[in-house]
Amino acid sequence: MPETDIALIDMSVLEQVAPIIRNAAHPLRLRILDFLRQSDGPRNVTNIVEACESGQAFVSQQLRILKDQGILECRRTGSFVYYQVANPAIFHLIDCIRSQQRCG
Amino acid sequence: MPETDIALIDMSVLEQVAPIIRNAAHPLRLRILDFLRQSDGPRNVTNIVEACESGQAFVSQQLRILKDQGILECRRTGSFVYYQVANPAIFHLIDCIRSQQRCG
DNA sequence: GCACGATATAGGGTTCTTGTGATATACTAG
DNA sequence: CTAGTATATCACAAGAACCCTATATCGTGC
């Protein structure tokens, strides 16, 4: 009887976690996360747009997606909005990509 | 000058890696990977279908997606096809989900 | 050859994602 | 209030993902 009672991760957990990973796994969003990873603290949207070399509207939408997933959080200071990572677990992904440039 | 020369992961790397992670980040495909993670060796399609509690055709399609991404590999033995993980880096994802049941 | 179990593929409707251009909102300075 | 910068949202068309049913292929045994 080698295999009958393997304890697998519960399907409900996978259903909860999959969209978070899936939403992070986009080139521009990984770039945002990597940029925040390499930064000392929160960064405002203009900083992020520059790091992404992409359009403002598009970056703003990606920030919203990451925020809606609970991956990022933000606070407004004057006319600037500063973003930072809300759930540091996502850094495992970034670090994994950094360490081996082809992992998953 | 606090931030001008941060070394970010190259965009071409992110573009290469994103679809791999994205393709793994699906509940059923995570289940497949978790099942293979917890198994001692390769498993055939029937085993995997049972572990997934899903339809044979659908699971077969997911296996193909994972194989096309280079995440899985397979070999035929008689009328059975045995799948196993081709790139163990993907186990980092699974282990991360296992260790903290809400990471990314 | 035939029948059967194991696996893969095709077809297709529905829904989600992507990236863009235009526009709206928020805040500051004057 | 006005102008200007910073940020968010809307609308949309092209494409991709999802998941199902039906069917095809491959291998074995007779």
Side-chain angles (χ1 to χ4, degrees), chain B:
Chain B
M1 254 103 275
E3 72 254 30
T4 25
D5 53 353
I6 294 176
L8 299 175
I9 299 170
D10 201 78
M11 213 55 192
S12 64
V13 171
L14 298 181
E15 276 161 10
Q16 181 199 335
V17 139
I20 297 175
I21 302 172
R22 160 172 301 267
N23 276 313
H26 174 286
L28 196 79
R29 297 196 285 268
L30 287 173
R31 164 58 64 100
I32 292 170
L33 293 171
D34 186 37
F35 177 61
L36 293 174
R37 172 61 159 164
Q38 297 305 110
S39 299
D40 275 342
R43 292 311 192 97
N44 68 36
V45 178
T46 301
N47 293 153
I48 298 170
V49 168
E50 281 162 7
C52 287
E53 298 162 340
S54 187
Q56 177 269 321
F58 190 43
V59 170
S60 192
Q61 282 173 93
Q62 309 315 312
L63 289 171
R64 187 194 222 289
I65 290 171
L66 292 171
K67 198 178 67 159
D68 286 351
Q69 287 297 335
I71 298 173
L72 294 185
E73 60 193 10
C74 65
R75 61 166 215 282
R76 172 154 234 142
T77 301
S79 58
F80 295 90
V81 177
Y82 291 89
Y83 282 84
Q84 64 185 333
V85 170
N87 181 355
I90 205 70
F91 286 145
H92 288 138
L93 246 195
I94 299 296
D95 292 343
C96 181
I97 297 171
R98 269 190 181 278
S99 62
Q100 26 190 334
Q101 304 254 6
R102 49 189 288 279
C103 100

Side-chain angles (χ1 to χ4, degrees), chain A residues 22 45-46 56-57 60 64 79-81 83:
Chain A
R22 157 172 303 265
V45 178
T46 301
Q56 177 270 320
S60 191
R64 187 194 224 290
S79 57
F80 295 90
V81 177
Y83 282 83

Side-chain angles (χ1 to χ4, degrees), chain A residues 2 6 12-13 21 27 29 31 59-60 72 76-77 83 93:
Chain A
I6 294 178
S12 64
V13 171
I21 302 172
R29 298 196 284 266
R31 164 59 64 101
V59 170
S60 191
L72 295 184
R76 170 155 234 142
T77 301
Y83 282 83
L93 246 196

Side-chain angles (χ1 to χ4, degrees), chain A residues 4-36:
Chain A
T4 24
D5 53 353
I6 294 178
L8 298 176
I9 299 170
D10 201 79
M11 214 52 192
S12 64
V13 171
L14 297 181
E15 277 161 10
Q16 181 199 335
V17 139
I20 297 175
I21 302 172
R22 157 172 303 265
N23 276 313
H26 175 286
L28 197 79
R29 298 196 284 266
L30 287 173
R31 164 59 64 101
I32 292 171
L33 294 171
D34 187 35
F35 176 62
L36 293 174

